[in-house]
Amino acid sequence: MGSKLQNTQLGTSPLGYALGAEIEGLDISLNLGSQIYEAINHIWQEHHVVVFRGKHLQPRDIVFFAEGFGDLDDHASTPFYRHPDVPQLLQITNRLIDGKPSETRNTGRNWHSDYSYTGRPAAASLLYCNQCPPVGGDTMFANMVRAYESLSGTMKGIVDNLHAVYDVSLTAGINERDASKTAEVRRLNPPIAHPAVRVHPRSGKRALYVSERVSHFHGMTRAESKPLIEFLCCHATQPENVYRHNWREGDLVCWDNRTVMHIALADFDQNQPRHMLRATILGEDSGFVVRDE
Ligand SMILES: O=C(O)CCC(=O)C(=O)O
Ligand SMILES: [Fe+2]
């Protein structure tokens, strides 16, 4: 495999010091074959976020490309907000939908890893920009492998032994959505504990898995947990550890939810349309439901 991989050279340029790389000159609407996927995975594991620019993808092209990385999440944990014709895609937009402002217009406004509040947190997400405002609407990504590695040995030992409890209610803006939909999302996703350090199944790298959607650590009170959650989030999101993506139409940004957390910024004029489509790759089974804690 090694020699075949070396033959599959993809043009790559780093976008950030901590993470992020662009892969150039690849027509991702074609049937790419396993060697190319292997080469992309290789770059992805090293840089955590890979970006393809200047693409003109139809919704079905995004699904087709994404399926090469693994099984797609059917988004059953949030059974709304789909693309009308291609239900494998989530539609994240501030456009009017059925004459009303879309409920996804403020998706992702606190630091998180996708679907951490489910029993099968996302392995990866691929987000395509169909339309974006002339300025702003950026997305930031933090490298959680570096975040883990730069902790002291003692703190690593502490987080290695913790389970973080994820609560969908801590999704920023959830209370501004339709109350019946929010109630359904809460019913489908009771609080769930996952190891606070996630081990990447391919690279074996250890990554901090704590975000602003963690209510507490299993077996600890909320008061005890709060300063540690705050410290770990601040530590992870220091500017040196972050790549900020400034979107252009036709960008496909792919992030590894096992090694990265992200936040979508409200730094734009909401009268300007922003329209994004997301495919999500299923991760491994993880975690246990936590009641009455
Ligand atoms: O709209 C964005 O930039 C990202 C929103 C988000 O958190 C996601 O798609 O997972
Ligand atoms: Fe997200």
Side-chain angles (χ1 to χ4, degrees), residues 188-251:
L188 289 169
N189 302 286
I192 188 161
H194 295 293
V197 176
R198 199 166 168 181
V199 181
H200 194 286
R202 290 173 67 106
S203 69
K205 284 185 184 159
R206 299 175 74 74
L208 187 62
Y209 195 59
V210 173
S211 80
E212 291 180 344
R213 297 183 183 174
V214 170
S215 57
H216 63 288
F217 295 107
H218 180 52
M220 287 170 68
T221 66
R222 281 164 171 71
E224 287 167 343
S225 308
K226 190 168 182 265
L228 186 50
I229 297 167
E230 282 176 4
F231 163 72
L232 292 170
C233 288
C234 279
H235 171 75
T237 60
Q238 293 168 75
E240 295 80 358
N241 199 37
V242 166
Y243 165 65
R244 178 171 178 151
H245 189 73
N246 177 231
W247 291 93
R248 288 184 221 148
E249 288 166 10
D251 285 355

Side-chain angles (χ1 to χ4, degrees), residues 112 114 255 262 278:
H112 67 284
D114 290 332
W255 62 88
H262 61 284
R278 191 183 98 197

Side-chain angles (χ1 to χ4, degrees), residues 98-157:
D98 300 329
K100 287 187 285 186
S102 163
E103 296 216 337
T104 58
R105 65 191 177 283
N106 286 323
T107 297
R109 294 281 187 260
N110 57 357
W111 283 102
H112 67 284
S113 175
D114 290 332
Y115 289 152
S116 46
Y117 51 79
T118 72
R120 218 169 151 185
S125 300
L126 292 83
L127 189 65
Y128 179 69
C129 177
N130 218 10
Q131 195 173 24
C132 62
V135 287
D138 295 355
T139 308
M140 298 203 295
F141 300 90
N143 181 338
M144 302 305 274
V145 174
R146 278 172 64 99
Y148 176 76
E149 285 175 353
S150 55
L151 294 171
S152 66
T154 303
M155 185 57 94
K156 279 187 191 137

Side-chain angles (χ1 to χ4, degrees), residues 59-136:
R60 285 182 207 287
D61 297 332
I62 304 167
V63 171
F64 185 63
F65 178 63
E67 280 172 339
F69 296 105
D71 293 339
L72 297 194
D73 193 309
D74 63 3
H75 301 130
S77 59
T78 44
F80 316 106
Y81 321 130
R82 315 287 181 80
H83 186 281
D85 306 321
V86 185
Q88 296 96 323
L89 297 177
L90 275 183
Q91 195 164 219
I92 295 156
T93 187
N94 60 359
R95 285 183 184 168
L96 296 182
I97 295 198
D98 300 329
K100 287 187 285 186
S102 163
E103 296 216 337
T104 58
R105 65 191 177 283
N106 286 323
T107 297
R109 294 281 187 260
N110 57 357
W111 283 102
H112 67 284
S113 175
D114 290 332
Y115 289 152
S116 46
Y117 51 79
T118 72
R120 218 169 151 185
S125 300
L126 292 83
L127 189 65
Y128 179 69
C129 177
N130 218 10
Q131 195 173 24
C132 62
V135 287

